[in-house]
């Protein structure tokens, strides 16, 4: 196989798909028309290409080809799923609400009963309209992986990524056990502060409002968000070196995805940071997280081969995203960027919110390992999913999202590894540049050098070089007090 030609065509494909993804999920167009793109580049994902890449020993390109092989075989279902999400409307007590606006509406709703009604309508629509497609996609992907010679998705991911999912699951189970007793004492007071009640009345529908943190609205005004963002990346010198390559899309649109995202359309030259503002601290956190991705991609060395600019271990880019997201809970950043005299209430809330996310993702990984097991009984998965998440978060969890809450190819593992990687990276920056590292041009220079590598090395190798230590999830215990 001509790898140079393969890389060039693969980059053209990714650019086209990411541009389509950006335009659809930013709400600029209704359709998510990826079928013609796959048709133009079908040879990238042929069995012949996959066999050749297996022989040539390029795990990143092979993983790309296999994911594309699955994606090509399911383009109709994927496009239809996106279309339904974009056009679905909910009936909430006689009021029409776009499906994708449900979470934003919940986050801004002060009435718990109204939040529950919005969630109930969204869950009903998920089960009725999306679940059949999601189930078809799940089963089809598993069958295609078996056709390619792997017994299940887990074996494929472990072989090509080098991630031992079993070892990671053991670490996350230990984390759940270690935080079991401190969870409610840490989170309960913050629920009371933000929602006016604790675990005794908490429902899953209340969590978007909790993460919205309405009690901090005066501390996180919308008009200050963009300035704090700009000042942070200017002080590090990253805004200057990125130039016009990072493009921020924060305009509200009815069909815009409520989930903020980064679309690296052309790395490093055209990178979109997309956010659907809901107000308050949540917007700051989402914007800084996606900025970590955007500035990472915008600083990648353009001379690197395609697979090191676009592919590889996404624990690395997620690590940069979490690094900047963490600033919205950093007392020093809160003092200097937002002028908070006493940042401890925000920091205490952030520790609680982070612990919810960490425990939720620990439970998600355990559930997904069972979902992808060779003897998995799909009939019992909804109940298993609900029980796993309920035990971790201590709130009754709906069964209807047992597939909607699953990202392909164990992406939850990338998030978990990224949280651990970020903890070490943040500690290193503080040791070398002090607690206000985010104002030091030298810290920006170090980050720029790391970002320049793209994802040439996985997170555990990068960490071994930086700190001489292993990527251990237990490092997060100190972060949550």
């Amino acid at each position: 196989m001509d790898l140079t030609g393969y890389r060039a065509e693969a980059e053209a494909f990714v650019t086209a798909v990411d541009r389509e993804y950006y335009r659809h999920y930013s709400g600029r167009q209704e359709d998510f028309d990826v079928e013609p793109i796959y048709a133009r580049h079908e040879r990238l994902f042929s069995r012949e290409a996959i066999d050749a890449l297996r022989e040539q020993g390029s795990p990143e390109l092979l993983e790309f080809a296999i994911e594309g092989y699955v994606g090509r075989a399911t383009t109709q279902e994927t496009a239809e799923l996106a279309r339904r999400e974009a056009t679905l409307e909910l009936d909430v007590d006689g009021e029409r609400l776009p499906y994708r606006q449900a979470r934003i509406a919940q986050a801004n709703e002060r009435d718990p009963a109204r939040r529950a009604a919005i969630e109930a309508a969204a869950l009903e629509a998920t089960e009725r309209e999306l679940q059949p497609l999601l189930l078809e996609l799940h089963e089809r992907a598993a069958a295609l992986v078996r056709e390619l010679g792997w017994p299940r998705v887990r074996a494929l991911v472990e072989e090509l990524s080098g991630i031992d999912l079993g070892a990671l699951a053991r670490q996350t189970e230990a984390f759940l056990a270690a935080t079991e007793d401190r969870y409610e004492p840490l989170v309960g007071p913050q629920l009371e502060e933000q929602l006016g009640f604790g675990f005794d009345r908490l429902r899953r529908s209340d969590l978007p409002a909790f993460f919205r943190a309405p009690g901090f609205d005066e501390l996180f005004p919308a008009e200050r968000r963009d300035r704090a963002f700009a000042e942070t990346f200017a002080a590090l010198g990253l805004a200057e070196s990125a130039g016009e390559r990072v493009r921020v899309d924060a305009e509200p649109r009815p069909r815009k995805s409520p989930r903020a995202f980064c679309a690296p359309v052309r790395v490093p030259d055209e990178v979109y940071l997309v956010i659907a503002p809901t107000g308050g601290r949540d917007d700051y956190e989402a914007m800084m997280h996606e900025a970590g991705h955007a500035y990472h991609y915008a600083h990648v060395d353009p001379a690197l081969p395609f697979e090191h600019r676009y592919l590889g271990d996404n624990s690395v880019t997620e690590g940069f995203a979490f690094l900047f997201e963490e600033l919205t809970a950093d007392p020093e950043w809160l003092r200097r960027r937002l002028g908070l005299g006493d940042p401890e209430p925000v920091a205490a809330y952030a520790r609680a919110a982070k612990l919810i996310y960490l425990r939720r993702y620990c439970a998600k990984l355990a559930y997904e390992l069972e979902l992808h097991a060779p003897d998995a009984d799909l009939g019992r998965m909804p109940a298993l999913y609900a029980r796993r998440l309920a035990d971790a978060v201590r709130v009754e969890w709906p069964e209807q999202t047992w597939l909607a809450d699953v990202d392909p190819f164990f992406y939850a593992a990338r998030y978990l590894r990224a949280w651990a990687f970020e903890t070490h990276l943040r500690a290193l920056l503080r040791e070398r540049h002090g607690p206000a590292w985010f104002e030091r041009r030298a810290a920006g220079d170090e980050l720029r050098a790391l970002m320049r590598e793209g994802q040439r090395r996985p997170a555990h190798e990068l960490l071994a070089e930086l700190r001489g230590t292993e990527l251990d999830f237990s490092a997060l215990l100190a972060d949550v007090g």
Side-chain angles (χ1 to χ4, degrees), residues 264-379:
V265 173
R266 290 189 302 119
V267 178
D269 297 318
E270 184 183 352
V271 183
Y272 294 92
L273 188 170
V274 183
I275 179 175
T278 62
R281 183 184 178 277
D282 201 28
D283 286 351
Y284 282 68
E285 193 174 70
M287 191 163 196
M288 293 298 283
H289 180 97
E290 299 309 328
H293 287 305
Y295 280 97
H296 174 212
Y297 286 119
H299 284 93
V300 171
D301 183 353
L304 286 174
F306 160 76
E307 61 266 33
H308 294 154
R309 284 182 291 126
Y310 288 87
L311 311 178
D313 181 11
N314 280 346
S315 306
V316 175
T317 191
E318 295 293 352
F320 288 121
F322 285 133
L323 176 71
F324 288 103
E325 178 185 322
E326 280 291 327
L327 288 178
T328 63
D330 185 294
E332 198 66 27
W333 188 88
L334 292 167
R335 290 189 191 97
R336 294 175 183 241
R337 289 287 165 261
L338 300 186
L340 269 60
D342 179 15
E344 181 51 33
V346 175
Y349 159 81
R351 285 192 293 272
K354 183 172 183 177
L355 184 54
I356 294 174
Y357 272 112
L358 292 174
R359 286 178 61 89
R360 175 172 176 260
Y361 269 82
C362 289
K364 266 169 60 72
L365 178 62
Y367 161 68
E368 289 178 20
L369 286 170
E370 295 188 71
L371 175 67
H372 289 287
D375 57 348
D377 177 359
L378 295 185

Side-chain angles (χ1 to χ4, degrees), residues 72 81 105-106 109 127 165-166 175 208 210 223 256 292 326 328 334 365 371 395 418 443 451 456:
R72 187 187 69 173
L81 186 65
Q106 280 178 265
E109 179 56 59
E127 189 166 37
L165 294 173
F175 180 88
F210 175 71
E223 62 272 14
K256 197 173 199 179
E326 280 291 327
T328 63
L334 292 167
L365 178 62
L371 175 67
V395 63
M451 291 173 170
R456 184 175 63 84

Side-chain angles (χ1 to χ4, degrees), residues 55-240:
E55 288 179 9
Q56 293 184 326
S58 174
E60 298 95 347
L61 288 177
L62 178 56
E63 190 172 22
F64 164 78
I66 291 170
E67 290 186 11
Y69 179 81
V70 173
R72 187 187 69 173
T74 56
T75 51
Q76 290 183 349
E77 294 88 346
T78 302
E80 177 60 15
L81 186 65
R83 187 197 67 78
R84 290 189 191 183
E85 282 188 5
T87 57
L88 263 178
E89 286 194 338
L90 310 178
D91 184 342
V92 185
D93 298 330
E95 180 185 339
R96 306 300 291 177
L97 178 69
Y99 177 83
R100 285 184 177 167
Q101 295 296 307
R103 187 190 178 281
I104 294 175
Q106 280 178 265
N108 286 308
E109 179 56 59
R110 297 300 178 95
D111 179 5
R114 174 74 174 172
R115 291 196 293 261
I118 294 169
E119 172 144 306
L123 290 173
E124 189 277 330
T126 298
E127 189 166 37
R128 184 188 71 248
E129 297 288 342
L130 307 184
Q131 198 78 273
L133 282 170
L134 289 166
L135 183 56
E136 191 173 342
L137 283 166
H138 172 78
E139 293 182 317
R140 184 79 177 110
L144 289 165
V145 166
R146 288 194 297 272
E147 284 179 21
L148 292 172
W150 282 271
R152 58 192 191 278
V153 172
R154 175 179 175 174
L156 167 70
V157 170
E158 288 188 321
E159 179 181 328
L160 298 184
S161 70
I163 299 172
D164 185 337
L165 294 173
L168 180 60
R170 289 189 290 276
Q171 289 187 19
T172 55
E173 288 292 340
F175 180 88
L176 284 171
T179 56
E180 191 72 14
D181 291 340
R182 72 182 79 176
Y183 179 69
E184 289 194 20
L186 183 68
V187 175
Q190 299 304 320
L191 294 173
E192 294 275 2
E193 190 71 26
Q194 297 300 324
L195 300 177
F197 52 82
F199 281 101
D200 57 326
R201 288 175 49 199
L202 184 68
R203 290 180 283 192
R204 210 283 293 261
S205 55
D206 298 315
L207 290 178
F210 175 71
F211 293 129
R212 165 76 170 72
F216 294 137
D217 278 2
E218 289 186 5
L219 306 180
F220 291 88
E223 62 272 14
R224 189 73 181 83
R225 182 196 66 220
D226 293 349
R227 196 167 79 192
F229 162 81
E231 287 171 353
T232 300
F233 289 95
L236 289 165
L238 296 177
E240 179 183 350

